[in-house]
Amino acid sequence: WRVTSAGTTMLRHPYAFGDVGNLEVLHELVPHSPSLPAVFPLGGSYFAFALWVAKRPAVEWLLTRFPEQIRDETTGWPHGVIALALFRHGYPDVLELVLDSGRFELEYYEPKRTSLALKMSCAVARVMLRLQRHPHAMFTTMSFSFGTALHMAAFRGNTYAVERLLERRADAASRRHQRRMTPLHVAALMGHDAVCARLLRAGAPDGARDDRGRTAATWASKRGHHELARLIASRGRPSVSV
């Protein structure tokens, strides 16, 4: 099978759309590992595409058929499997599937597995955030979302996922993040009041500083969430239901 000019193959599409029937056929015609890189040079495996689209039948089929090949370290990205399940939609049924498997680490984040192209893309995204008045949302994603599963859930404002991860003792103070941020940092900069409230109740440190010495309150204020910034700085609790 050939790699196209876009850096993909015919295998990418059934993974991206969660098409179990075509996956079955293609695995017979073109035997391959779902941990192979799906896009060059950014990385990301075929299984990662199935997780991004978050179609449970495809994810469940892959986990069952390739139990030895699908691990946190073979996603092709610095994210682990649980974080990737939350990268886009974060559907509860897919999250429960990967959590209940008991095979993946809550705190997995391995920056050494970041490709050079992905590092450069993240660096460009940070520059564009500083230069543009209304930057594309992807620049924000590339700059702040890479970390543990709890970081990803907090960034997305996924209160259900945050609750489920905290129930399983995910570290609310973790700084395993591309910018040494805690989950509270990323929730605050995105203005997710309910997530911030839950993280604070779970013991998230409001005074933790990122790689540039900024606190969660600083980021909330910088991004225009001034009331949230005041509440975090005073260890208050946003007046919202969780």
Side-chain angles (χ1 to χ4, degrees), residues 5 25 40 52-53 56 66 79 90 95 122 142-143 172 191 200 211-212 218:
S5 60
V25 172
F40 302 94
W52 291 350
V53 177
R56 181 182 173 114
F66 303 98
H79 301 88
L95 175 62
C122 290
M142 296 292 286
S143 296
L200 286 167
D211 61 354
R212 299 190 65 183
T218 301

Side-chain angles (χ1 to χ4, degrees), residues 9 27 30 75 99 106 115 120-121 157 174 188 215 232 240-241:
T9 75
H27 272 278
V30 189
T75 61
L99 286 176
L106 286 177
S115 67
M120 293 177 64
S121 296
S174 174
T215 65
I232 295 173
V240 294
S241 59

Side-chain angles (χ1 to χ4, degrees), residues 137-194:
M138 182 54 66
F139 294 144
T140 300
T141 299
M142 296 292 286
S143 296
F144 299 110
S145 70
F146 289 12
T148 68
L150 188 56
H151 283 97
M152 187 68 74
F155 177 82
R156 293 296 181 190
N158 189 330
T159 53
Y160 175 84
V162 168
E163 187 65 43
R164 294 293 288 116
L165 293 170
L166 289 174
E167 286 175 2
R168 291 175 177 258
R169 300 186 182 279
D171 184 4
S174 174
R175 295 178 67 202
R176 294 181 59 79
H177 180 271
Q178 67 194 99
R179 300 183 67 169
R180 299 289 291 162
M181 290 179 164
T182 66
L184 182 62
H185 274 101
V186 294
L189 73 90
M190 295 301 292
H192 298 315
D193 297 46

Side-chain angles (χ1 to χ4, degrees), residues 83-103:
L84 279 174
L86 298 168
F87 190 84
R88 291 183 65 192
H89 306 292
Y91 293 135
D93 59 341
V94 177
L95 175 62
E96 297 297 339
L97 177 65
V98 295
L99 286 176
D100 291 344
S101 74
R103 293 166 48 189

Side-chain angles (χ1 to χ4, degrees), residues 8 26 30 32 43 74 78 95 104 131 142 151 208 213 227 237 239:
T8 67
L26 284 173
V30 189
H32 66 282
T74 57
L95 175 62
F104 309 111
L131 296 180
M142 296 292 286
H151 283 97
E227 181 61 23
R237 303 295 187 264
S239 302

Side-chain angles (χ1 to χ4, degrees), residues 55-67:
K55 298 295 175 56
R56 181 182 173 114
V59 174
E60 190 167 24
W61 178 80
L62 287 161
L63 287 173
T64 302
R65 179 156 180 177
F66 303 98

